[in-house]
Amino acid sequence: MSLSDYVRVMPKAELHVHLQGATQPETLLHLAQRNGITLPAETVEGIREWYTFQDFDHFLSVYDLICECFRSGEDIELALREFSAGQAAQNIRYTEVTFTPPRRIPWPEQFAALRRGREWALTEHGIIINLILDIPREYDAAVGNLIADWAIDGSRAGVVVGLGLGGPERGNPAARFADAFEKARASGLPAALHAGEVVGPESIWDALAHGFSARIGHGVRCLEDPRLVEHLRDRQIPLEVSPSSNVLLGVCSSLAEHPLPRLLDAGLYVTVNSDDPPMFNTTLTDEFLRCAEAFGWGAERIEQLTLNALRVAFYSERQTLVEQYLAEFARLREQFGIQTCEPVESASHIGP
Ligand code: ADE
Ligand code: ZN
């Protein structure tokens, strides 16, 4: 059995992936059609091309238009079901998916849809899907407070497990949303903010100080500040690293140049994620395989990174999951008679 076979079948976990950013072209066309929204393309191929990276602003405009296509609870539930089926197909048994809540849909309708979607994922596929609601950075503080209220309310029955901050990092510091994150913290709801992706270390310090960020979305630019590296390492603050996203959004020039190996060498707590998979022509499985090929990783490294994700999940049963995964890794290795895996010959490539 090759490493790629093993990575495909092993149970996996993902902490940083966006529901809207994971919307497949077919689903988007369906949502746009039923809501009477005109998209820049009318075919799956056309949408795929439109998704293709041009620059960060184009990426955010695509993301915003996808958000526009979510007009009802049924739209949210459909997207969540399709997303869950994709996670199940990769044997990703635990996911924290970030959802940008549309203001035009009443929160109770959104909550009911998210709840139905994740229950479907559990009964139909046996996988756990927990939600993180994110505040788009370009919004004003009042909207941030509203989304924090929704996230706190959504933590009933464990549907929402965290509060996030996404969107254009430059010029939109987390400090503007300090009230929202303070409110979440006071309610026991943890935060995971995007930071240190487009902006340097100061943005990560800002996310820690004003957002109480328990994990950092991306965070790869921390390496520019040795004091920050020390701070993150000493506290083992997890970084949600998304290699293909970083390459395609221009955070680094190629996967070979990606700072991931340096983050690991620095003793930082790393997890691997897909971010917005169809936009970056990837999946979590592909992320592991591409990294295995680029950095010479074996099965142990990928198992370790999977356990890293579980151990810092915003989920009270995470330790049970760790034990289940460890047993499953051992069972699979035994079943397939693998001690050490063969190297990956060729992973799929980044980009269209
Ligand atoms: N929203 C979805 N993906 C994002 C990213 N990589 N950076 C900022 N906001 C996002
Ligand atoms: Zn993201």
Side-chain angles (χ1 to χ4, degrees), residues 49-96:
E49 205 177 312
W50 175 60
Y51 271 6
T52 306
F53 172 77
Q54 289 173 14
D55 55 33
F56 204 84
D57 288 343
H58 170 77
F59 162 75
L60 290 176
S61 74
V62 172
Y63 189 84
D64 286 348
L65 190 46
I66 298 174
C67 291
E68 282 288 305
C69 293
F70 285 62
R71 294 288 170 105
S72 67
E74 285 85 68
D75 294 345
I76 296 171
E77 185 180 354
L78 174 76
L80 192 51
R81 281 187 180 215
E82 303 220 339
F83 169 76
S84 303
Q87 297 297 93
Q90 293 180 70
N91 204 16
I92 303 171
R93 298 194 194 163
Y94 181 82
T95 304
E96 285 175 12

Side-chain angles (χ1 to χ4, degrees), residues 16 18 21 56 59-60 63 100 134 165-169 194 197-198 218 245 249 275-276 280:
H16 187 129
H18 298 259
F56 204 84
F59 162 75
L60 290 176
Y63 189 84
T100 308
D134 81 324
L165 186 68
E169 193 178 358
H194 287 64
E197 178 190 25
V198 172
H218 301 287
S245 165
L249 293 181
D275 205 10
D276 304 280
F280 304 133

Side-chain angles (χ1 to χ4, degrees), residues 233-300:
R233 184 191 48 230
D234 290 351
R235 290 160 186 78
Q236 289 291 285
I237 296 171
L239 305 181
E240 303 160 356
V241 179
S242 299
S244 294
S245 165
N246 292 157
V247 173
L248 288 173
L249 293 181
V251 177
C252 55
S253 56
S254 67
L255 188 58
E257 301 297 318
H258 194 280
L260 221 170
R262 276 172 282 142
L263 297 170
L264 290 168
D265 286 348
L268 294 169
Y269 196 108
V270 170
T271 66
V272 171
N273 305 273
S274 66
D275 205 10
D276 304 280
M279 294 186 182
F280 304 133
N281 191 26
T282 195
T283 60
L284 181 63
T285 306
D286 286 343
E287 291 303 287
F288 280 132
L289 294 179
R290 289 170 183 176
C291 287
E293 192 182 14
F295 309 132
W297 290 356
E300 293 84 346

Side-chain angles (χ1 to χ4, degrees), residues 33-326:
Q33 198 173 29
R34 85 176 179 195
N35 291 318
I37 295 162
T38 307
L39 294 173
E42 288 175 357
T43 61
V44 168
E45 294 70 35
I47 295 293
R48 252 188 248 293
E49 205 177 312
W50 175 60
Y51 271 6
T52 306
F53 172 77
Q54 289 173 14
D55 55 33
F56 204 84
D57 288 343
H58 170 77
F59 162 75
L60 290 176
S61 74
V62 172
Y63 189 84
D64 286 348
L65 190 46
I66 298 174
C67 291
E68 282 288 305
C69 293
F70 285 62
R71 294 288 170 105
S72 67
E74 285 85 68
D75 294 345
I76 296 171
E77 185 180 354
L78 174 76
L80 192 51
R81 281 187 180 215
E82 303 220 339
F83 169 76
S84 303
Q87 297 297 93
Q90 293 180 70
N91 204 16
I92 303 171
R93 298 194 194 163
Y94 181 82
T95 304
E96 285 175 12
V97 60
T98 296
F99 177 58
T100 308
R103 274 176 295 165
R104 55 159 59 89
I105 308 175
W107 168 247
E109 188 178 338
Q110 299 193 47
F111 177 71
L114 294 171
R115 194 172 187 167
R116 287 195 305 273
R118 71 191 280 283
E119 275 166 16
W120 182 86
L122 189 60
T123 47
E124 195 71 18
H125 293 292
I127 62 169
I128 299 163
I129 304 279
N130 287 333
L131 274 297
I132 292 176
L133 296 193
D134 81 324
I135 303 170
R137 280 183 187 259
E138 71 271 31
Y139 287 8
D140 59 29
V143 179
N145 284 333
L146 179 69
I147 293 176
D149 287 338
W150 290 353
I152 292 162
D153 180 72
S155 62
R156 281 183 287 138
V159 175
V160 176
V161 298
L163 181 64
L165 186 68
E169 193 178 358
R170 191 167 288 123
N172 297 298
R176 176 139 45 95
F177 303 100
D179 289 349
F181 286 100
E182 169 55 35
K183 201 190 282 211
R185 195 188 64 82
S187 302
L189 191 68
L193 284 70
H194 287 64
E197 178 190 25
V198 172
V199 179
E202 68 273 23
S203 177
I204 301 175
W205 286 118
D206 171 54
L208 294 170
H210 301 287
F212 312 106
S213 208
R215 306 190 308 239
I216 302 288
H218 301 287
V220 290
R221 292 193 56 185
C222 68
L223 290 172
E224 295 165 29
D225 178 350
R227 202 169 61 84
L228 178 58
V229 170
E230 199 181 310
H231 183 89
L232 295 171
R233 184 191 48 230
D234 290 351
R235 290 160 186 78
Q236 289 291 285
I237 296 171
L239 305 181
E240 303 160 356
V241 179
S242 299
S244 294
S245 165
N246 292 157
V247 173
L248 288 173
L249 293 181
V251 177
C252 55
S253 56
S254 67
L255 188 58
E257 301 297 318
H258 194 280
L260 221 170
R262 276 172 282 142
L263 297 170
L264 290 168
D265 286 348
L268 294 169
Y269 196 108
V270 170
T271 66
V272 171
N273 305 273
S274 66
D275 205 10
D276 304 280
M279 294 186 182
F280 304 133
N281 191 26
T282 195
T283 60
L284 181 63
T285 306
D286 286 343
E287 291 303 287
F288 280 132
L289 294 179
R290 289 170 183 176
C291 287
E293 192 182 14
F295 309 132
W297 290 356
E300 293 84 346
R301 170 67 81 190
I302 297 167
E303 288 175 358
Q304 180 199 22
L305 289 163
T306 298
L307 296 172
N308 271 7
L310 289 176
R311 289 191 174 114
V312 296
F314 297 153
Y315 182 50
S316 56
E317 301 303 313
R318 57 183 174 261
Q319 188 51 38
T320 310
L321 291 183
V322 168
E323 279 149 30
Q324 284 171 3
Y325 275 53
L326 280 170

